Amino acid sequence: MTVTKPAAKDKFWNFVFYKFIFVFGVMNVLTLNEVLLWVGWYTAIAALLLLIKLSKDRFEFLSFSPNTPTRFHWKVVGLLVMVVISGLCLSWTCISRAQPFYPISQEFHSLIFMLSECAIIIVKALHVLMRYGIHLYDIQREELWERKATIVYHTDLLMDLLSLSINFVHHLHMLFSGNIWLSMASLVICMQVITRF
């Protein structure tokens, strides 16, 4: 029995549906201004996630090409560094715009939600960068690197564990932050937890 990965179109609509449930079910957005702010935020998040996915696919393609020029590698590395810097800038923007005087307010929950999205982006981009660094180190070596598979395995394990832990805490925060225990939004959030793990 083979398990197929969902197509990019299915992932896109899943992302849109999930974020729609989040904005209206968890955050209880009521004004058009807030809706537009959240749409802008999730557009930026989706663009960065797409750049990470494209970089990962490009890395996998280039890693199997034996005679790839060095400049192609540096383009992908540069894009990944830009994504990490963008994630850090988004995090800094969230923190600098937060009002620290109301620690349990809706703004505090929004800040935590936004920071967790930034953390996921940074972790995913760093994961691809680490894999790329291992690959570039391997192709520069003269002799065979016997420990490469072990290091790649542990890197993947650590970064996937970190990403899934952030996602899990993020979803638990969604469930506990609002009064959505017996609603359609809580069911969708639970389905997201199940499909991500």
Side-chain angles (χ1 to χ4, degrees):
M1 180 177 176
T2 59
V3 178
T4 59
K5 290 186 175 183
K9 183 178 174 182
D10 295 337
K11 286 183 178 182
F12 171 76
W13 286 114
N14 186 25
F15 180 83
V16 170
F17 176 69
Y18 175 61
K19 297 310 178 187
F20 179 83
I21 293 295
F22 171 77
V23 168
F24 293 107
V26 176
M27 297 305 296
N28 296 323
V29 173
L30 300 174
T31 65
L32 181 61
N33 189 26
E34 289 177 320
V35 171
L36 292 176
L37 286 173
W38 280 109
V39 166
W41 173 258
Y42 281 118
T43 301
I45 296 295
L48 291 175
L49 288 172
L50 181 63
L51 288 175
I52 293 169
K53 178 66 175 152
L54 290 173
S55 298
K56 184 177 180 183
D57 290 345
R58 187 69 178 163
F59 158 68
E60 289 172 358
F61 174 75
L62 291 176
S63 66
F64 290 113
S65 301
N67 297 324
T68 304
T70 308
R71 63 186 171 93
F72 290 144
H73 292 297
W74 288 114
K75 285 181 182 180
V76 178
V77 169
L79 179 62
L80 286 166
V81 168
M82 187 213 56
V83 169
V84 170
I85 291 171
S86 298
L88 292 172
C89 289
L90 284 175
S91 300
W92 175 252
T93 302
C94 294
I95 292 170
S96 66
R97 299 286 181 190
Q99 295 183 3
F101 304 109
Y102 305 105
I104 308 299
S105 68
Q106 188 68 18
E107 287 185 22
F108 177 74
H109 290 297
S110 298
L111 173 67
I112 299 300
F113 289 136
M114 292 163 59
L115 287 176
S116 64
E117 296 280 350
C118 293
I120 290 168
I121 285 172
I122 292 168
V123 166
K124 286 184 176 187
L126 286 176
H127 182 196
V128 180
L129 269 173
M130 290 171 73
R131 288 287 307 270
Y132 220 116
I134 292 168
H135 173 70
L136 290 177
Y137 178 73
D138 183 39
I139 63 174
Q140 298 297 325
R141 291 175 55 98
E142 296 292 329
E143 66 276 354
L144 182 66
W145 189 19
E146 296 176 3
R147 296 192 55 211
K148 179 185 177 185
T150 306
I151 292 173
V152 167
Y153 172 78
H154 288 294
T155 301
D156 288 346
L157 178 67
L158 176 71
M159 298 308 278
D160 285 342
L161 185 62
L162 185 59
S163 177
L164 290 173
S165 298
I166 293 170
N167 259 322
F168 184 66
V169 171
H170 176 63
H171 285 85
L172 284 180
H173 180 225
M174 276 189 229
L175 286 174
F176 291 130
S177 68
N179 297 324
I180 59 169
W181 280 101
L182 295 173
S183 68
M184 183 60 89
S186 64
L187 294 175
V188 171
I189 290 170
C190 289
M191 286 175 21
Q192 284 293 319
V193 170
I194 291 169
T195 58
R196 290 188 192 262
F197 300 104

